[in-house]
């Protein structure tokens, strides 16, 4: 496409709930063990919201942190995109509620739903508004609070997820300085029932009946196979599209679904340990928040050194997946 402008990543922010739930805490809820969870997933602990926290409070905290690293005022934000599949309310959108809390009075706001690929889809969507010249400053937030949609008596899914939010501020710059070197986003519907969260099933005829809550349901093996198929594919596709060589990519930041998936992909693509950014041990799978949370912890722990080229890769329910090659400096 003809680009009138480029994207500059100004800053990242992140937020986690205060409450830490360790694997040993889950041993008290159902028949599991720290050893089983850690060897199958790489997770040791996750953060779970308390009654005074929500997706909105986490989004606000992450956004304020990102803003505090820039000279921007909330009034300078032209667009807010919130990627989430666990919004606090069906409406108003998380984006509009966040706009109100931030005082981003000049922004337009909306949500997108692409599950664990949401942050990638959000950045790609925001980039189009910048490339066209429509907007200058855009806030993209990835937030998920899966703890509200988990059956806490069923061990297979309950051990995987944590709550969290991550934010990035993107601004327009000269087209030749574009920090997005390329992107590739995808979806396929034929396997979408392998990972599903139903909505409330109220209908005309049954509305007075007790409505059972809906929980995340997953075919773990199918999702594993999906991930290890599409992630190497999309990385290869993006390298081809951008003309980048794999040796030019400094860091691989994958959606933090499962350390086994991360390890498989790293091995298959021959990335070494220091190039793989992983924080799943401490935060679990935070869905749309997982990539920005991994970037923020990678930067603060100096595992990501700038300037660098990063390959960000998301995958999740839909099924959806996508990658962005970023020149970060
Ligand atoms: N603790 C102890 N035992 C458990 C637990 C648990 N938390 N959960 C399941 N088990 C038992 C099962 O009941 C089963 O017992 P059985 O052999 O007596 O029947 C046994 O462990 C093996 O169960 P599987 O479901 O076959 O376990 P598997 O080895 O496939 O591991 C896992 C499950 C970790 C989810 C795996 O399928 C996986 O890595 N899937 C990838 C999907 C994923 O990571 N999803 C994350 C969310 S989706 C996303 O972000 C895109």
């Amino acid at each position: 496409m003809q680009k009138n402008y480029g994207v500059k990543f100004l800053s990242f922010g992140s937020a986690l709930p205060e409450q830490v739930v360790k694997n040993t805490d889950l041993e008290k809820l159902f028949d599991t063990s720290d050893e089983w969870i850690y060897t199958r997933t790489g997770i040791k602990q996750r953060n779970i919201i308390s009654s005074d926290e929500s997706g909105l409070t986490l989004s606000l905290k992450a956004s304020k942190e990102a803003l505090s690293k820039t000279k921007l005022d909330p009034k300078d934000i032209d667009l807010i995109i919130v990627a989430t599949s666990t919004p606090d309310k069906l409406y108003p959108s998380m984006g509009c509620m966040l706009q109100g809390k931030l005082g981003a009075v000049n922004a337009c706001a909306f949500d997108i739903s692409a599950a664990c690929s949401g942050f990638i889809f959000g950045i790609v969507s925001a980039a189009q508004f910048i490339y066209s010249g429509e907007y200058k400053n855009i806030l993209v937030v990835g937030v998920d609070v899966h703890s509200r949609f988990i059956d806490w008596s069923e061990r297979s899914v309950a051990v995987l997820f944590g709550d969290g939010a991550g934010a990035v501020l993107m601004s327009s710059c000269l087209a030749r300085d574009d920090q997005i070197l390329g992107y590739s986003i995808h979806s396929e519907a034929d396997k979408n029932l392998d990972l599903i969260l139903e909505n409330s099933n109220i209908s005309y005829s049954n509305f007075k009946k007790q409505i059972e809550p809906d929980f995340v349901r997953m075919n773990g093996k199918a999702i594993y196979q999906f991930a290890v198929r599409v992630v190497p594919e999309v990385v290869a596709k993006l390298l081809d599209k951008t003309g980048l060589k794999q040796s030019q990519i400094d860091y691989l930041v994958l959606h933090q679904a499962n350390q086994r998936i991360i390890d498989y992909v790293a091995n298959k693509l021959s990335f070494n340990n220091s190039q793989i950014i992983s924080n799943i041990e401490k935060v679990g799978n935070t869905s749309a928040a997982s990539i920005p949370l991994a970037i923020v912890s990678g930067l603060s722990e100096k595992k990501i050194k700038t300037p660098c080229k990063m390959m960000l890769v998301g995958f999740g329910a839909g099924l959806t997946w996508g990658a962005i090659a970023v020149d970060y400096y």
Side-chain angles (χ1 to χ4, degrees):
M1 78 176 279
Q2 171 69 34
K3 289 182 198 167
N4 299 315
Y5 298 91
V7 169
K8 164 100 184 125
F9 290 98
L10 294 182
S11 62
F12 287 86
S14 67
L16 289 167
E18 301 247 318
Q19 178 178 219
V20 174
V21 175
K22 296 188 181 257
N23 290 348
T24 45
D25 296 317
L26 297 181
E27 288 173 359
K28 293 167 202 153
L29 291 186
F30 37 68
D31 181 17
T32 191
S33 67
D34 176 44
E35 196 265 335
W36 193 98
I37 300 169
Y38 187 65
T39 51
R40 299 275 196 313
T41 69
I43 299 168
K44 277 271 174 197
Q45 61 180 50
R46 71 287 291 142
N47 298 65
I48 302 288
I49 58 162
S50 310
S51 55
D52 59 344
E53 294 171 308
S54 65
L56 182 58
T57 65
L58 296 176
S59 301
L60 185 62
K61 200 170 164 198
S63 303
K64 282 184 168 172
E65 185 180 290
L67 272 166
S68 72
K69 296 175 185 168
T70 71
K71 294 194 173 100
L72 289 186
D73 183 270
K75 293 189 182 63
D76 298 326
I77 301 172
D78 302 307
L79 176 66
I80 297 173
I81 298 177
V82 176
T84 185
S85 46
T86 55
D88 293 351
K89 306 178 197 301
L90 287 182
Y91 54 82
S93 69
M94 293 290 285
C96 287
M97 292 193 288
L98 180 60
Q99 174 187 10
K101 289 283 179 197
L102 275 175
V105 290
N106 298 313
C108 172
F110 59 84
D111 291 1
I112 60 169
S113 171
C116 304
S117 310
F119 194 70
I120 298 291
F121 280 44
I123 288 179
V124 171
S125 304
Q128 311 311 311
F129 287 101
I130 288 178
Y131 291 152
S132 69
E134 181 72 15
Y135 293 131
K136 188 168 184 330
N137 300 315
I138 304 184
L139 171 67
V140 177
V141 174
V143 57
D144 269 307
V145 177
H146 266 100
S147 63
R148 293 174 47 232
F149 301 95
I150 297 286
D151 180 349
W152 287 105
S153 65
E154 204 284 303
R155 63 188 182 174
S156 67
V157 174
V159 299
L160 301 173
F161 290 96
D163 303 332
V168 64
L169 276 162
M170 297 160 58
S171 195
S172 66
C173 63
L174 293 174
R176 64 164 185 260
D177 296 330
D178 194 2
Q179 290 186 315
I180 295 184
L181 303 173
Y183 60 82
S184 181
I185 56 173
H186 305 268
S187 61
E188 71 184 16
D190 57 338
K191 299 257 174 53
N192 61 2
L193 296 182
D194 286 333
L195 189 50
I196 188 162
L197 175 54
E198 296 277 0
N199 206 337
S200 170
N201 287 319
I202 295 172
S203 74
Y204 175 67
S205 54
N206 77 358
F207 84 101
K208 279 192 174 166
K209 290 186 193 151
Q210 181 70 38
I211 304 296
E212 292 290 322
D214 297 308
F215 300 119
V216 176
R217 282 180 284 124
M218 179 183 70
N219 177 346
K221 287 191 174 63
I223 293 299
Y224 182 92
Q225 283 157 7
F226 154 69
V228 300
R229 170 175 61 89
V230 299
V231 174
E233 262 175 30
V234 79
V235 170
K237 187 172 181 147
L238 191 48
L239 290 175
D240 191 45
K241 189 175 169 183
T242 56
L244 284 165
K245 294 195 183 66
Q246 174 149 339
S247 56
Q248 292 176 280
I249 304 296
D250 300 297
Y251 302 108
L252 187 62
V253 188
L254 287 192
H255 163 49
Q256 308 283 298
N258 187 312
Q259 189 63 42
R260 287 204 304 194
I261 294 174
I262 297 171
D263 290 343
Y264 178 93
V265 170
N267 190 36
K268 170 120 183 159
L269 297 177
S270 305
F271 279 97
N272 64 44
N273 265 351
S274 66
Q275 295 180 288
I276 303 298
I277 305 305
S278 170
N279 65 342
I280 190 169
E281 179 171 339
K282 290 188 184 144
V283 298
N285 178 347
T286 56
S287 199
S290 86
I291 290 174
L293 282 173
I295 292 172
V296 170
S297 73
L299 288 168
S300 71
E301 290 169 21
K302 310 236 180 314
K303 288 181 192 156
I304 299 176
K305 296 184 186 73
T306 55
C308 64
K309 289 188 176 55
M310 297 192 279
M311 182 73 80
L312 316 181
V313 190
F315 54 92
L319 299 169
T320 55
W321 68 100
I324 306 175
V326 174
D327 192 8
Y328 193 60
Y329 51 87

